Coordinates of all heavy atoms in Angstrom, one line a residue:
G229 N 268.1 151.4 114.7 CA 268.0 152.8 115.4 C 267.7 152.7 116.8 O 268.3 153.4 117.7
E230 N 266.9 151.8 117.2 CA 266.5 151.6 118.6 C 267.7 151.0 119.4 O 267.9 151.3 120.6 CB 265.2 150.8 118.8 CG 264.0 151.6 118.3 CD 262.8 150.8 118.0 OE1 262.9 149.5 118.0 OE2 261.7 151.4 117.8
D231 N 268.4 150.1 118.8 CA 269.6 149.5 119.4 C 270.7 150.6 119.7 O 271.3 150.7 120.7 CB 270.1 148.4 118.6 CG 271.3 147.7 119.3 OD1 271.2 147.2 120.4 OD2 272.4 147.8 118.7
L232 N 270.9 151.4 118.6 CA 271.9 152.5 118.8 C 271.5 153.5 119.9 O 272.3 154.0 120.6 CB 272.0 153.2 117.4 CG 272.6 152.4 116.3 CD1 272.6 153.2 115.0 CD2 274.0 152.0 116.6
N233 N 270.1 153.7 120.0 CA 269.6 154.6 121.0 C 269.9 154.0 122.4 O 270.4 154.7 123.3 CB 268.1 154.7 120.8 CG 267.5 155.7 121.8 OD1 268.1 156.8 122.1 ND2 266.4 155.4 122.3
A234 N 269.7 152.7 122.5 CA 269.9 152.0 123.8 C 271.4 152.0 124.2 O 271.7 152.0 125.4 CB 269.4 150.6 123.8
R235 N 272.3 152.1 123.2 CA 273.7 152.1 123.4 C 274.3 153.5 123.6 O 275.5 153.8 123.6 CB 274.4 151.4 122.3 CG 274.2 149.9 122.3 CD 274.4 149.2 121.0 NE 275.9 149.3 120.7 CZ 276.4 148.9 119.5 NH1 275.5 148.5 118.5 NH2 277.7 149.0 119.3
K236 N 273.3 154.5 123.7 CA 273.7 155.9 123.9 C 274.5 156.5 122.8 O 275.4 157.3 122.9 CB 274.5 156.1 125.2 CG 273.8 155.5 126.5 CD 272.5 156.2 126.7 CE 271.9 155.7 128.0 NZ 270.5 156.2 128.2
I237 N 274.2 156.1 121.5 CA 274.8 156.7 120.3 C 273.9 157.7 119.7 O 274.4 158.7 119.1 CB 275.1 155.5 119.4 CG1 276.2 154.6 120.0 CG2 275.6 156.1 118.0 CD1 276.4 153.3 119.2
V238 N 272.6 157.5 119.8 CA 271.6 158.5 119.2 C 271.3 159.6 120.2 O 271.1 159.3 121.4 CB 270.4 157.7 118.8 CG1 269.3 158.7 118.4 CG2 270.7 156.7 117.7
G239 N 271.3 160.8 119.7 CA 271.0 162.0 120.6 C 269.5 162.3 120.5 O 268.7 161.6 121.1
R240 N 269.2 163.4 119.8 CA 267.8 163.8 119.7 C 267.4 164.0 118.2 O 268.3 164.1 117.3 CB 267.6 165.2 120.3 CG 267.9 165.3 121.8 CD 267.8 166.7 122.3 NE 267.9 166.8 123.7 CZ 269.0 167.0 124.4 NH1 270.1 167.1 123.7 NH2 269.0 167.1 125.7
F241 N 266.1 164.0 118.0 CA 265.6 164.4 116.7 C 265.3 165.9 116.8 O 264.5 166.3 117.7 CB 264.3 163.6 116.3 CG 263.8 163.9 114.9 CD1 264.2 163.2 113.9 CD2 262.9 165.0 114.7 CE1 263.8 163.5 112.6 CE2 262.5 165.3 113.4 CZ 262.9 164.5 112.4
S242 N 266.0 166.7 116.0 CA 266.0 168.1 116.3 C 265.8 169.0 115.1 O 266.2 168.6 114.0 CB 267.4 168.6 116.9 OG 267.6 167.9 118.2
T243 N 265.1 170.1 115.3 CA 265.1 171.2 114.3 C 266.0 172.3 114.8 O 265.7 172.9 115.8 CB 263.6 171.7 114.1 OG1 263.2 172.2 115.4 CG2 262.7 170.6 113.7
F244 N 267.0 172.6 114.1 CA 268.0 173.6 114.5 C 267.7 174.9 113.9 O 267.7 175.1 112.6 CB 269.4 173.1 114.0 CG 269.9 171.9 114.7 CD1 269.6 170.6 114.3 CD2 270.7 172.0 115.9 CE1 270.1 169.5 114.9 CE2 271.2 170.9 116.6 CZ 270.9 169.6 116.1
L245 N 267.5 175.9 114.7 CA 267.2 177.3 114.2 C 268.5 177.9 113.7 O 269.6 177.6 114.2 CB 266.6 178.1 115.3 CG 265.2 177.8 115.7 CD1 264.8 178.6 117.0 CD2 264.2 178.1 114.6
E246 N 268.3 178.8 112.8 CA 269.5 179.7 112.4 C 269.5 180.8 113.5 O 268.8 181.8 113.4 CB 269.2 180.3 111.0 CG 270.3 181.3 110.6 CD 271.7 180.7 110.7 OE1 272.1 179.9 109.9 OE2 272.4 181.1 111.7
H247 N 270.4 180.5 114.5 CA 270.3 181.4 115.7 C 271.2 182.6 115.7 O 271.2 183.4 116.6 CB 270.4 180.6 117.0 CG 271.7 179.9 117.1 ND1 272.0 178.6 116.5 CD2 272.9 180.2 117.6 CE1 273.2 178.2 116.8 NE2 273.8 179.2 117.5
V248 N 272.1 182.7 114.7 CA 273.1 183.8 114.6 C 272.6 184.8 113.6 O 272.5 186.0 113.8 CB 274.5 183.3 114.4 CG1 275.5 184.4 114.2 CG2 274.9 182.3 115.5
K249 N 272.4 184.3 112.4 CA 272.0 185.2 111.3 C 270.6 185.6 111.3 O 269.7 184.8 111.8 CB 272.3 184.5 109.9 CG 273.8 184.1 109.8 CD 274.0 183.3 108.5 CE 275.4 182.7 108.4 NZ 275.5 181.7 107.3
P250 N 270.2 186.8 110.9 CA 268.8 187.1 110.9 C 268.0 186.3 109.8 O 268.6 185.9 108.8 CB 268.8 188.6 110.5 CG 270.1 188.8 109.8 CD 271.1 187.9 110.4
S251 N 266.7 186.2 110.1 CA 265.9 185.5 109.1 C 265.6 186.4 107.9 O 266.0 187.5 107.9 CB 264.5 185.1 109.8 OG 263.8 186.3 110.0

Side-chain angles (χ1 to χ4, degrees):
E230 287 163 354
D231 181 63
L232 295 175
N233 185 43
R235 293 160 65 189
K236 307 298 184 186
I237 294 169
V238 173
R240 296 178 174 89
F241 186 89
S242 298
T243 61
F244 292 87
L245 288 171
E246 178 50 76
H247 60 272
V248 176
K249 301 170 187 173
S251 70

